[in-house]
Amino acid sequence: MGRSIQQWLPFALPREDGAGPRGGFQGDVEVEVDAAEEVSGVPQLLRIAGARVRSRPLPAGDYLVGGRILVERKAAGDFAGSLCDGRLFRQLRYLKRSAPSSLLVVEGCPAYFERFWPPRLRSALLCVAVDFRVPTLFTRGIEGTADLLLSLGRRCLRSPGPESFAPSRARRVLTPRLRAQVDLQRTLEAVPGIGPGLALRLAAEFGTLDALRRAGTQDIARVRGIGSEKADRVRSAVQGG
C-alpha cells in the first residue's frame, strides 16, 4: 500500500494549535521550479507542504532552492540514459557554472540500479562527486524528493550563504567554447516557440551552431522540453542559417 502525502511529508502536517506546519520554517521556504518540472508532481507536493513555489524557465537545473542552490533531478531511467550518452556530464558542467552550490538528486527504487554494471555506476558516481564536486542523493520517488527539497530549504533559512544565483557567472570568462554557446543561445532565442530556457538547454547540449546543424531531428528532440515539433522547427532554422 502506498504512503500518504502526510506520511511522506511529516513537516507538512498542521500543528495541533492550528499555527501552521510543524517545523516553523515551511512557509518561508522558497523554491523556484523549472516550468518543465511541473508535470513531475514534485512542485505540487511542495505547495501542499506550504512552501512558496514559483514556476519559470531556469537556465540550468530543475529547482533553485533558497535563491542559491541549484538541484538537478533525475528519474532512474533518465539517469541511466544520461550516463550512457554523456548528457549528464554536460548538464553538470553548466550546473556548476550557474550557481555557487549544486546538488544531483536521483529518484527511483534502489533495485533499479541493480541493472547497472556496478563498476560503471561506481565510476560515474565518483566522477560526479570528485571531478564535478556535486553531491548526489537518492530518493525513492517524488515524495522523497519533495521532502529533501523542503529540508534543503529549511537549511538555507538557518544558514544563509553570502552568494546568490547568478547565471551571468557563466559569462565572466568568455572562453571560445563558452562564447560559441552564448552565440548559439542568442540564435535559438529567435526561433518561434523557443524561449530563453529552451535556448539555454540546447546551447548547453550541443555547444556550437555547427554541432547543432550536424544533429538529427531525433537528437534535438531528446533535449528536455523540445519534442519532435520544436525539433523540426529548430533544425529548419539552423540549416537555413
Side-chain angles (χ1 to χ4, degrees):
M1 182 180 295
R3 296 188 182 184
S4 67
I5 289 175
Q6 285 78 9
Q7 287 174 304
W8 276 108
L9 301 178
F11 289 98
L13 289 170
R15 296 195 323 213
E16 292 181 0
D17 59 5
R22 284 192 296 225
F25 289 114
Q26 219 80 314
D28 295 324
V29 170
E30 293 186 356
V31 182
E32 293 189 49
V33 182
D34 187 80
E37 267 291 297
E38 287 288 347
V39 297
S40 72
V42 175
Q44 289 86 336
L45 292 179
L46 293 173
R47 293 184 180 102
I48 290 171
R52 288 185 285 180
V53 179
R54 185 163 72 97
S55 180
R56 68 178 180 90
L58 291 179
D62 297 309
Y63 299 89
L64 175 62
V65 182
R68 63 189 174 96
I69 302 177
L70 270 178
V71 178
E72 177 74 23
R73 183 188 73 91
K74 289 284 185 190
D78 187 30
F79 178 69
S82 65
L83 280 179
C84 293
D85 61 19
R87 177 167 34 95
L88 174 66
F89 303 112
R90 291 193 293 272
Q91 291 172 330
L92 290 178
R93 288 189 192 97
Y94 205 78
L95 200 71
K96 289 289 290 182
R97 289 199 297 260
S98 300
S101 300
S102 52
L103 178 69
L104 173 64
V105 175
V106 181
E107 181 183 286
C109 178
Y112 181 92
F113 298 101
E114 294 176 1
R115 306 177 192 177
F116 280 97
W117 187 46
R120 181 173 185 179
L121 176 60
R122 183 169 59 247
S123 176
L125 292 176
L126 284 172
C127 179
V128 171
V130 177
D131 297 339
F132 289 93
R133 297 184 180 181
V134 175
T136 303
L137 296 177
F138 291 83
T139 66
R140 287 183 175 272
I142 62 172
E143 297 91 348
T145 300
D147 205 14
L148 187 152
L149 293 173
L150 290 170
S151 297
L152 186 61
R154 291 192 297 271
R155 182 177 178 83
C156 288
L157 290 171
R158 287 194 296 266
S159 55
E163 297 183 270
S164 60
F165 178 63
S168 60
R169 291 182 68 198
R171 301 185 182 91
R172 289 180 185 173
V173 181
L174 279 180
T175 62
R177 182 176 179 179
L178 185 55
R179 185 177 290 109
Q181 286 190 12
V182 172
D183 291 342
L184 177 58
Q185 175 199 337
R186 290 171 179 166
T187 299
L188 292 169
E189 286 178 357
V191 178
I194 305 297
L198 292 179
L200 275 170
R201 284 183 189 163
L202 287 165
E205 180 72 21
F206 294 100
T208 67
L209 183 58
D210 287 340
L212 185 56
R213 283 173 174 162
R214 291 193 298 269
T217 302
Q218 290 184 342
D219 297 322
I220 300 172
R222 276 198 290 266
V223 175
R224 184 161 56 88
I226 297 297
S228 57
E229 183 179 343
K230 289 180 180 177
D232 286 333
R233 203 177 303 158
V234 168
R235 197 161 193 275
S236 297
V238 298
Q239 293 295 338

